[in-house]
C-alpha cells in the first residue's frame, strides 16, 4: 500500500515534467489503426467457417482487443483471462500468475488469444498449455508487438502487428508499474531509462 502511494506521488511529480511529448514515439496511433483494419479482415476470412472465441489477456491486451473486435466482421464469442508477471516490478518480470481459465467454456471452439506483447514467450506458452486441457478445436495467438530479443523458444504468435527493438515500451494497454496504459500510441522512455 505504502509503495503504491509512493509510486503514485512520484508518477504525479514525473508527469509534470514528462508528458507524452517527452516520451519517444515508437508506433503512432494511425499506424496501429491501419494495421488493425488489415488484420481484422484477415481474421474474418481465416475464421469464416469456424467457431471463433476471442480471448483477451488482461490487462495489457485491453486496447488492441477493443479495437480489433470492432474490425472483425464475423460472429465470435468474447472471453477474458488475466495474466501478470511485471506488476509493480517495473521493467523486470516476476512470478507469472494466470487467473480466469477455470471459468472459460472453449470445448470445440477455435480460440484466438490476444495479448499486448511477446517477449520471452513464457506468458502465452503457459496460457496455451492450460487452455489445451479444455479441448478447444484450435488455439492461435495474436500480439500487437513482438520484441526482438534472443529467445529459448522458436514459437511465435500466429498474427503479429509490429516487431520492435529491445526497448521497454508503454501505452495502448502496456504499463510501467500500472501507469501509462491509456496513452493512445506506443512509446519508450528517453534512453530506455525508468522514470521512477
Ligand atoms: P513474456 O512472457 O516474456 O512474453 O512477456 C509478456 C508480458 O510481459 C506481456 O504480456 C507484458 O505484460 C509484459 N511486458 C513485456 N515487455 C514489456 C514492455 O516493454 N512493456 C510493458 N510490458 C511488457
Ligand atoms: Mg500482458
Amino acid at each position: 500500500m505504502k509503495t503504491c502511494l509512493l509510486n503514485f506521488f512520484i508518477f504525479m511529480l514525473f508527469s509534470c515534467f514528462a508528458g507524452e511529448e517527452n516520451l519517444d514515439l515508437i508506433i503512432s496511433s494511425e499506424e496501429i489503426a491501419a494495421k488493425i483494419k488489415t488484420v481484422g479482415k484477415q481474421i474474418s476470412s481465416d475464421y469464416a467457417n469456424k467457431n471463433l472465441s476471442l480471448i483477451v489477456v488482461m490487462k495489457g491486451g485491453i486496447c488492441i482487443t477493443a479495437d480489433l473486435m470492432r474490425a472483425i466482421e464475423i460472429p465470435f464469442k468474447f472471453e477474458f483471462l488475466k495474466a501478470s508477471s511485471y506488476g509493480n516490478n517495473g521493467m523486470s518480470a516476476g512470478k507469472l500468475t494466470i487467473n480466469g481459465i477455470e471459468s472459460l467454456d472453449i470445448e470445440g471452439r477455435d480460440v484466438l488469444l490476444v495479448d499486448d506483447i511477446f517477449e520471452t514467450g513464457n506468458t502465452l506458452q503457459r496460457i496455451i498449455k492450460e487452455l489445451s486441457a479444455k479441448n478447444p478445436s484450435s488455439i492461435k495467438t495474436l500480439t500487437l508487438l513482438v520484441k526482438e530479443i534472443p529467445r529459448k523458444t522458436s514459437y511465435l504468435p500466429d498474427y503479429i502487428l509490429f516487431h520492435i527493438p529491445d526497448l521497454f515500451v508503454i501505452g495502448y494497454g502496456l504499463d510501467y508499474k500500472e501507469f501509462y496504459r491509456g496513452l493512445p500510441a506506443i512509446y519508450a522512455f528517453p534512453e530506455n531509462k525508468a522514470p521512477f
Side-chain angles (χ1 to χ4, degrees), residues 137-155:
S137 280
S138 65
I139 305 180
K140 287 196 174 183
T141 56
L142 177 150
T143 63
L144 171 69
L145 308 170
V146 166
K147 203 182 276 190
E148 292 307 333
I149 57 160
R151 263 182 292 272
K152 287 187 193 145
T153 172
S154 58
Y155 177 85

Side-chain angles (χ1 to χ4, degrees), residues 57 60-61 83-86 90-91 93 96 115-124 145 147 149 151 164 167-170 174-176 181:
V57 181
S84 57
S85 53
Y86 275 49
M91 287 183 168
L96 173 63
D115 203 359
D116 51 0
I117 185 165
F118 188 87
E119 191 179 25
T120 62
N122 289 342
T123 307
L124 282 186
L145 308 170
K147 203 182 276 190
I149 57 160
R151 263 182 292 272
I164 58 161
L167 288 172
F168 188 85
V169 289
I170 48 168
L174 291 122
D175 74 306
Y176 172 71
R181 291 195 198 272

Side-chain angles (χ1 to χ4, degrees), residues 32-180:
I32 297 173
K35 206 43 106 47
I36 287 177
K37 234 179 174 177
T38 312
V39 176
K41 286 211 181 315
Q42 182 68 49
I43 291 169
S44 308
S45 135
D46 294 350
Y47 285 86
N49 298 310
K50 299 199 166 165
N51 302 310
L52 177 60
S53 280
L54 197 67
I55 306 184
V56 56
V57 181
M58 295 292 272
K59 303 173 195 167
I62 187 168
C63 293
I64 166 77
T65 310
D67 286 340
L68 180 70
M69 65 198 288
R70 286 173 287 178
I72 297 178
E73 297 156 350
I74 55 164
F76 61 88
K77 283 191 182 178
F78 171 72
E79 310 276 1
F80 69 93
L81 56 82
K82 185 176 179 221
S84 57
S85 53
Y86 275 49
N88 280 318
N89 286 334
M91 287 183 168
S92 58
K95 189 175 172 291
L96 173 63
T97 51
I98 300 168
N99 295 106
I101 290 195
E102 54 300 335
S103 57
L104 296 176
D105 181 14
I106 52 167
E107 185 159 355
R109 310 244 356 136
D110 296 290
V111 168
L112 180 58
L113 265 177
V114 183
D115 203 359
D116 51 0
I117 185 165
F118 188 87
E119 191 179 25
T120 62
N122 289 342
T123 307
L124 282 186
Q125 288 195 301
R126 261 267 309 274
I127 297 173
I128 291 171
K129 199 170 159 212
E130 295 196 19
L131 289 180
S132 305
K134 308 202 102 179
N135 301 319
S137 280
S138 65
I139 305 180
K140 287 196 174 183
T141 56
L142 177 150
T143 63
L144 171 69
L145 308 170
V146 166
K147 203 182 276 190
E148 292 307 333
I149 57 160
R151 263 182 292 272
K152 287 187 193 145
T153 172
S154 58
Y155 177 85
L156 277 175
D158 301 280
Y159 301 89
I160 298 167
L161 276 65
F162 301 95
H163 292 262
I164 58 161
D166 187 6
L167 288 172
F168 188 85
V169 289
I170 48 168
Y172 197 70
L174 291 122
D175 74 306
Y176 172 71
K177 296 189 179 181
E178 296 298 332
F179 292 105
Y180 301 105

Side-chain angles (χ1 to χ4, degrees), residues 24 167 189-193:
D24 296 340
L167 288 172
F189 295 118
E191 293 170 32
N192 200 29
K193 280 209 181 95

